[in-house]
Amino acid sequence: METLLTAFQLPDLESRFQARIDAEDKIEPKDWMPEEYRKTLIRQISQHAHSEVVGMLPEGNWVTRAPSLKRKAVLLAKIQDEAGHGLYLYSACETLGVSRDQLIDELHSGKAKYSSIFNYPTLNWADIGAIGWLVDGAAIMNQIPLCRASFGPYSRAMIRVCKEESFHQRQGYEIMLTLSKGSKEQKAMAQDALNRWWWPSLMMFGPSDQDSKHSAQSMKWKIKRFSNDELRQRFVDMTVPQAELIGLKVPDDQLKWNEERRSYDFGEIPWDEFWNVVNGNGPCNKKRLADRVNAHNEGKWVREAAEAFAKKQAQRTDSKLKSN
Ligand code: FAQ
């Protein structure tokens, strides 16, 4: 009987759900939602959380070698921000009925994805500038529309994330500006970093629209507001003039302003490289995962201590309440 009822009710529930989305209502964790919507959100939000946390590794590599105390302090603060973003996102994901342990297990077993960009090495200080400028720049371009995602906890988390990412982008650009105004060698370092990070940054937006299997449904559900190619194009249009302003050359011979479209035409993305990295065979995939697993294992005593402390506090509050 229950199955029959569900079968009759489902189309009605689904159309009411879509009507709420179309009316720009926010969906909250306890609202009815199609199972596929829930799964899509868990997939995207957890991949996003993993990216923030794995994304700390290439930058963490430079904390001890930052060129001044000021640069070290700024870099440390940025890396802590990324950890915070991971935490908001894991929390948003948990409201969908999945545990953080489960999500972390999926990352550590290699089942869950994280952004391809964090599988590239940071070879010198200019790479830290390029990550802030390009990687955070691409992240903001992708994430500003997510502030309007239909799922309430995700959209609210993204508002704070975007504010912090925009500071990150500016500090990265400022590093690149300083290097470009420096010695011949420093300018060459900045150009070399741009050469290596340009194409991987464009890949952050995901496969081309024709190969993106989730975009159409995610856009109908207003999780995504723009397609991968649309956001990539906006990023190119925003970033090319920034490169020109500091005297750097974007490494793309086919890059050309298109007056008719009022936008840049650009070359073909090396998709083989993208899929290779996504499938676990990029230059640093194995190292990144091993470093995450190690950090998690080494942090076991911290989690246990925090849990014991929280339990003790709860017991104290309990006995205070009883004695009052
Ligand atoms: N890397 O059908 P679509 C940051 C996968 S945060 C790896 O187009 P969708 C902050 C995709 O998951 C950066 N995998 O998928 C920071 C799917 O695989 P699946 C992270 C990728 O979801 C800065 C398959 O390909 N940002 O940088 C990638 O509709 C500096 C088919 O793709 C977010 O996660 C990729 N680049 O669109 C931290 C933003 N692209 O799951 C430290 C939220 C695609 O079927 C330092 N996410 N795949 O096995 C999104 O907006 C979307 O998920 C997309 C992909 C646009 C990434």
Side-chain angles (χ1 to χ4, degrees), residues 43 47 113 116 142 165 203 206 212-214 224 228:
R43 179 186 63 78
Q47 285 177 5
K113 292 191 168 72
S116 48
N142 165 271
E165 301 288 29
M203 294 174 200
S212 166
K213 58 182 170 175
H214 301 295
K224 286 169 89 164
N228 299 354

Side-chain angles (χ1 to χ4, degrees), residues 42 46 50 98 100-113 289:
I42 292 177
S46 63
H50 299 327
V98 60
R100 192 175 302 197
D101 285 344
Q102 204 177 323
L103 298 173
I104 289 173
D105 278 352
E106 284 179 7
L107 171 69
H108 291 178
S109 68
K111 189 173 162 222
K113 292 191 168 72
L289 217 50

